[in-house]
Amino acid sequence: MATVALRRRGVFVREGDLFTKLARVKKLVFDKTGTLTLETPVLQNPEALQALDPAARAALHALVRENPHPLSQCLLENLLADRAPAPLAGEVSETAGYGVELGAWSLGRAGWRYAHGRGEETVFARDGEVLARFRFADTARPDARAELGALKTRGYETFILSGDSAGKVVSLATDLGLPHENVRGELSPAEKALWFETHSADDALMLGDGLNDSLAFDRALCRGTPVIHRGALEAKADFY
């Protein structure tokens, strides 16, 4: 009966022992982008995209067109709105939590495929030469602050683990009323998983939506994903 009632509200249970697990949960661990924030962020500097030559735009189109990450989808929307050239042919590979590559072309976290430090920008490069640095703004889901407040009232402790920059994660935590000591940014997939080993996973519910959450999912007692069309975590989630 509970499963049917949840389905009517858009929550689908995959594992029969979900309710037993939920009874043990004391802390909730959230991914940031696409989980606590809206799925598609806003590109803050579209002029960087417009300044690319046709060959670079074709390569970028290929890198983002089938990648479900919110930042890729944002760039794809902007490319299509500006009559993007046909995508460059070739096989795109992804390094979870870092970025995507196609031959000499790469798109990903600052410092991943070129020699210049770390930062909040997403970097588009060719053979290590930076062609564009894209800046994005996240918007928290409208009900996120109220829901997190309700969870706190019920005695749950909440955390954010994110691969995004520490500054962005702390800023979101401030907006949502979470203590800064409960949030971590700039984490690799392996570092997210390690967090569970040092913070006890046997009472933790993990909520995430991307491939970079997969290792952390493996450690958590219970796991859910807010979107199903991406497919990255569907098979591992107890509910979606």
Side-chain angles (χ1 to χ4, degrees):
M1 290 174 65
T3 299
V4 172
L6 284 171
R7 189 180 300 129
R8 289 175 181 151
R9 291 162 173 79
V11 180
F12 299 87
V13 176
R14 290 190 64 256
E15 299 295 337
D17 62 348
L18 171 65
F19 298 104
T20 302
K21 290 179 178 178
L22 288 177
R24 296 166 54 189
V25 169
K26 294 181 180 177
K27 56 179 175 278
L28 297 99
V29 184
F30 293 88
D31 173 47
K32 181 180 77 70
T33 306
T35 303
L36 288 172
T37 67
L38 297 176
E39 289 185 43
T40 304
V42 177
L43 179 62
Q44 296 291 286
N45 58 331
E47 65 277 4
L49 186 60
Q50 295 159 4
L52 296 173
D53 63 36
R57 288 163 64 83
L60 183 61
H61 190 181
L63 289 169
V64 302
R65 66 171 177 159
E66 293 184 358
N67 188 282
H69 193 280
L71 300 186
S72 290
Q73 290 301 298
C74 176
L75 287 172
L76 180 60
E77 286 183 9
N78 281 268
L79 278 167
L80 294 178
D82 198 28
R83 299 182 180 180
L88 185 68
E91 184 175 350
V92 176
S93 62
E94 179 174 4
T95 302
Y98 291 93
V100 288
E101 298 174 274
L102 172 57
W105 306 89
S106 65
L107 176 72
R109 292 172 61 172
W112 172 48
R113 283 292 182 259
Y114 71 104
H116 307 291
R118 308 176 80 175
E120 295 187 357
E121 299 152 326
T122 297
V123 176
F124 178 47
R126 181 179 186 181
D127 285 327
E129 178 186 356
V130 176
L131 302 178
R133 300 171 186 267
F134 300 115
R135 300 191 305 273
F136 301 89
D138 288 316
T139 302
R141 293 184 183 274
D143 57 350
R145 184 182 181 96
E147 293 294 340
L148 291 175
L151 290 168
K152 180 179 179 180
T153 299
R154 295 183 61 181
Y156 295 104
E157 192 170 11
T158 52
F159 301 84
I160 300 176
L161 303 181
S162 176
D164 211 341
S165 71
K168 285 187 177 181
V169 178
V170 169
S171 178
L172 179 69
T174 300
D175 291 343
L176 297 179
L178 292 182
H180 292 179
E181 61 268 23
N182 282 21
V183 304
R184 294 282 305 279
E186 300 179 10
L187 296 180
S188 68
E191 288 170 333
K192 284 189 177 186
L194 181 62
W195 185 93
F196 283 92
E197 295 181 12
T198 58
H199 289 77
S200 178
D202 59 2
D203 63 356
L205 164 59
M206 172 72 183
L207 293 159
D209 72 333
L211 187 60
N212 60 345
D213 297 314
S214 183
L215 292 177
F217 254 44
D218 293 340
R219 303 295 195 277
L221 166 70
C222 186
R223 48 254 177 172
T225 183
V227 286
I228 202 61
H229 62 273
R230 293 178 186 161
L233 300 178
E234 174 187 359
K236 292 186 175 185
D238 294 300
F239 66 94
Y240 58 89

